[in-house]
Amino acid sequence: FTAPQTDLTLTVDLAGEKWLVNRAWRDGPDGLAVELKHPDTGQIRAARWNNDGLVAHAPGEDPRLAIPDGQVVSHRLRKRAVVRSADGASYIKIVRAGKAAGILDGVARAGAFAAGFRMPQILAHTDSTVTFAALEGRSMHVPDLFSPTEWEEAWAEVLGGLQKTWAAGSRGGPVHTADLESEVLRTWVEKALAFVDAPGALLEAAENACAGLAELPEPE
């Protein structure tokens, strides 16, 4: 990997082409599952890195997942992938056999948000896939699609949706407390320690964040 001095972007050279390191997850004690993205086409491909180097798979290839034709928009090697259909009308999430039930459970838990947000319709599912109808509109995962004013308006709509959800009586649903969030943060920090240059600084930053979370008022 090479890190340009102008930003924190990591790149890797594959057959003479530069690919961006889009995301990475710990994969075993000595490796990382890596999601690569082509800077010009936006194409996604999965790879794995350890001390022996980087092994990249062709776009849409995975040794454990059966990935259908379409535009891959997310891919964690051997774990999960999301593919946009050629006509843009649907998205299919692919996981390992028997794991799709967890996705359906999550969708059911998210049902409370329907009072304030548009929710994607489930078109089909198997034991390893769930297919969702596409939602119209721009994704807030791509801030560049918004002007500064539109970005503020979009976040105002998000806050309004949360207020509607709350007013509709979602208080009885599951609560993600500050303690639970701290637990999640510490878990991911532990996984990342072996792969960062300054583990002490990471631990300190995480504990500072957890201290801030602990000061938040408990939900009523």
Side-chain angles (χ1 to χ4, degrees):
F1 295 113
T2 58
Q5 298 299 311
T6 54
D7 54 38
L8 297 178
T9 302
L10 297 178
T11 63
V12 60
D13 190 301
L14 297 175
E17 283 191 318
K18 293 291 186 182
W19 289 76
L20 304 177
V21 177
N22 202 39
R23 294 194 291 175
W25 304 263
R26 183 174 176 178
D27 187 37
D30 64 344
L32 293 171
V34 181
E35 181 184 84
L36 302 174
K37 183 176 183 178
H38 196 283
D40 297 325
T41 66
Q43 193 174 42
I44 295 291
R45 63 193 299 183
R48 187 180 190 278
W49 174 88
N50 61 18
N51 290 331
D52 295 326
L54 184 79
V55 177
H57 295 265
E61 287 189 359
D62 191 295
R64 294 285 298 275
L65 306 178
I67 300 179
D69 292 336
Q71 179 188 2
V72 179
V73 297
S74 176
H75 192 174
R76 180 177 177 181
L77 187 66
R78 299 193 303 273
K79 294 286 188 178
R80 59 180 177 268
V82 178
V83 176
R84 180 178 181 267
S85 64
D87 61 4
S90 63
Y91 290 81
I92 180 169
K93 186 165 187 176
I94 306 101
V95 290
R96 289 178 292 182
K99 297 292 186 179
I103 302 174
L104 298 175
D105 289 343
V107 172
R109 291 195 301 272
F113 288 92
F117 297 90
R118 293 180 296 129
M119 306 293 286
Q121 177 188 0
I122 295 178
L123 301 177
H125 61 85
T126 68
D127 72 334
S128 61
T129 66
V130 179
T131 303
F132 297 91
L135 288 174
E136 294 184 3
R138 291 170 288 179
S139 172
M140 293 183 70
H141 289 286
V142 190
D144 291 345
L145 296 177
F146 299 79
S147 70
T149 299
E150 289 172 335
W151 185 246
E152 291 184 7
E153 292 174 347
W155 274 109
E157 291 182 11
V158 170
L159 294 176
L162 289 172
Q163 291 172 341
K164 289 179 181 177
T165 300
W166 185 259
S170 63
R171 296 175 180 82
V175 176
H176 186 75
T177 64
D179 286 343
L180 288 175
E181 182 61 23
S182 293
E183 182 180 338
V184 171
L185 178 58
R186 289 186 174 113
T187 296
W188 280 103
V189 166
E190 181 181 357
K191 292 180 177 180
L193 286 176
F195 304 98
V196 297
D197 293 331
L202 176 60
L203 282 171
E204 181 180 0
E207 289 308 312
N208 287 339
C210 290
L213 288 168
E215 294 177 357
L216 294 175
E218 290 293 329
E220 299 178 358

